Amino acid sequence: MRWHSGPARHEAGTPNLLGAVALAAVCEALDTADRDAIAARENALLTRLRRGVAAVPRVHELSLFGPDHPRVGIVSFAVEGLESATVAARLSSGYGIGVRDGLFCAHPLTRHLLRRAPATLPATAVRASLGLGTTAGDVDRLVAALAEIVGS
């Protein structure tokens, strides 16, 4: 028996071949995609999401930047009187909507944004992310679900 040296010595099992093939297929698809169209679609969905979140009482979007600053398809927010884990769990179990909750591996920044909010918010936040498969209907479902959760 001969041991590998370096990092290979600590690798167990087989490589993630399925993941590598899937990643190659995605890269190939994105290489031929109209990136301007993708960006425009994401911007339209992001605007829809931000407007929807802003219209729900007691929900506060967290951001360092002004409303016209360029962004990616992510909206972080917190709800007055509701812990982020509760909001995330209710979105998941009651509506089949996946979001992330917590401090997003950006603890100092998220805490700073929560303290800057115009209301007293919980110690953590919720983050909704848009992707290539996200539709306007998905955004509307999230906003409607959030309104129901906050209203109850």
Side-chain angles (χ1 to χ4, degrees):
M1 173 184 268
R2 184 170 165 217
W3 293 98
H4 286 286
S5 62
R9 180 176 183 171
H10 303 289
E11 295 295 323
T14 58
N16 181 5
L17 293 176
L18 184 59
V21 170
L23 180 59
V26 168
C27 289
E28 186 175 325
L30 286 175
D31 192 41
T32 60
D34 181 348
R35 292 179 190 212
D36 290 335
I38 291 172
R41 183 176 173 282
E42 181 177 300
N43 265 339
L45 289 172
L46 180 60
T47 298
R48 186 183 197 106
L49 178 57
R50 292 184 68 228
R51 286 182 181 153
V53 166
V56 179
R58 297 180 22 226
V59 176
H60 300 272
E61 182 182 354
L62 306 177
S63 177
L64 281 175
F65 308 107
D68 297 326
H69 195 277
R71 309 167 180 262
V72 295
I74 296 172
V75 175
S76 296
F77 59 90
V79 180
E80 293 176 45
L82 289 174
E83 293 297 322
S84 66
T86 301
V87 174
R90 290 184 65 190
L91 285 169
S92 177
S93 65
Y95 304 91
I97 298 171
V99 294
R100 179 151 184 219
D101 75 283
L103 296 172
F104 320 127
C105 297
H107 296 209
L109 173 61
T110 307
R111 286 186 182 123
H112 171 74
L113 293 172
L114 288 163
R115 283 191 305 268
R116 278 184 26 176
T120 302
L121 297 176
T124 55
V126 178
R127 183 180 73 207
S129 303
L130 303 171
L132 283 174
T134 305
T135 66
D138 294 332
V139 171
D140 294 345
R141 266 186 351 106
L142 170 59
V143 171
L146 193 54
E148 285 182 24
I149 290 168
V150 169
S152 58

